[in-house]
């Protein structure tokens, strides 16, 4: 019985932790999307050199790659939460 209670407690802690992670990931993704929007606005300004446009494009592409990686992680975390199988956190 004690083992079962301990396991349930561990799963509850893991669920809270993963829920917090999912919320943080969603916030990061939203913030990075705003950054992309800002870059798009900067790119339309007159007087930008080709070098400036290239830097903005590179920054935008890097953000898109980062967002894709974060979305993959978010999807995995949400999938585990939905399955009721959060990672168990081992505390030593």
């Amino acid at each position: 019985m004690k083992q079962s209670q301990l396991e349930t407690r561990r799963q509850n802690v893991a669920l809270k932790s993963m829920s917090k992670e999912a919320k943080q990931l969603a916030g990061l993704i939203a913030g990075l999307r705003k950054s992309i929007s800002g870059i798009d606005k900067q790119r339309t300004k007159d007087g930008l050199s080709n070098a400036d446009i290239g830097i903005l494009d590179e920054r935008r592409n890097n953000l898109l790659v980062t967002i894709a990686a974060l979305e993959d992680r978010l999807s995995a975390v949400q999938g585990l939460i939905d399955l009721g199988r959060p990672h168990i956190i081992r505390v030593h």
Side-chain angles (χ1 to χ4, degrees), residues 13-42:
V13 169
L15 180 59
K16 281 183 184 181
S17 177
M18 291 189 82
S19 296
K20 181 179 178 182
E21 181 180 356
K23 187 176 180 180
Q24 289 173 332
L25 287 168
L28 282 170
I29 291 167
L32 293 176
R33 288 189 190 281
K34 285 182 184 177
S35 295
I36 287 175
S37 179
I39 289 170
D40 290 342
K41 287 178 185 174
Q42 283 181 325

Side-chain angles (χ1 to χ4, degrees), residues 5-76:
Q5 288 175 342
L6 181 60
E7 189 65 25
T8 299
R9 194 173 319 153
R10 283 184 180 164
Q11 286 183 346
N12 287 339
V13 169
L15 180 59
K16 281 183 184 181
S17 177
M18 291 189 82
S19 296
K20 181 179 178 182
E21 181 180 356
K23 187 176 180 180
Q24 289 173 332
L25 287 168
L28 282 170
I29 291 167
L32 293 176
R33 288 189 190 281
K34 285 182 184 177
S35 295
I36 287 175
S37 179
I39 289 170
D40 290 342
K41 287 178 185 174
Q42 283 181 325
R43 199 174 184 289
T44 61
K45 289 182 181 177
D46 290 334
L48 290 178
S49 68
N50 286 339
D52 290 337
I53 291 171
I55 290 169
L56 290 172
D57 288 346
E58 187 174 339
R59 186 183 294 165
R60 187 180 193 283
N61 289 338
N62 287 339
L63 288 172
L64 288 171
V65 169
T66 302
I67 288 170
L70 291 172
E71 286 176 335
D72 286 347
R73 175 65 184 167
L74 178 58
S75 178

